[in-house]
Amino acid sequence: MKHKHQKTLELIFSRPVSANIKWRDIEALFIELGAEISEREGSRIGVRLFGDRRVFHRPHPSPSTDKGAVASIREWLKVNEVTP
């Protein structure tokens, strides 16, 4: 895993939950882990990873991901044994 993706993973697992993680970095991490990403209606995207499909809302106008989404992503990664 590239250093940039490792840093994003560390930010996702940091406590307290970070509100400064850029969505494009999370999306790049998903792709690095082997995800297939599809555009959905509006600003939603579908992420197929770990044999599971999740739908996320791409933040706008701010590029930073909200804390609730980061916590949800953390739990999804943790369940699938992806940790920093």
Side-chain angles (χ1 to χ4, degrees):
M1 182 179 297
K2 293 181 182 176
H3 178 71
K4 179 178 179 176
H5 302 305
Q6 183 65 36
K7 183 150 178 65
T8 302
L9 192 58
E10 289 169 4
L11 283 171
I12 290 170
F13 278 87
S14 68
R15 296 281 185 178
V17 177
S18 176
N20 294 324
I21 305 173
K22 301 217 179 309
W23 176 256
R24 69 174 182 250
D25 294 340
I26 292 174
E27 210 169 308
L29 174 64
F30 287 157
I31 292 168
E32 175 73 13
L33 293 171
E36 294 176 24
I37 295 181
S38 59
E39 298 293 326
R40 310 281 287 217
E41 61 279 347
S43 59
R44 291 175 182 80
I45 63 162
V47 179
R48 180 181 292 264
L49 183 62
F50 312 122
D52 193 10
R53 179 174 296 251
R54 300 282 173 111
V55 176
F56 295 100
H57 181 266
R58 210 179 253 144
H60 60 81
S62 170
S64 296
T65 309
D66 67 63
K67 291 181 179 187
V70 173
S72 174
I73 291 165
R74 176 195 296 150
E75 289 307 310
W76 190 32
L77 293 173
K78 192 172 174 183
V79 165
N80 288 285
E81 300 178 0
V82 177
T83 56

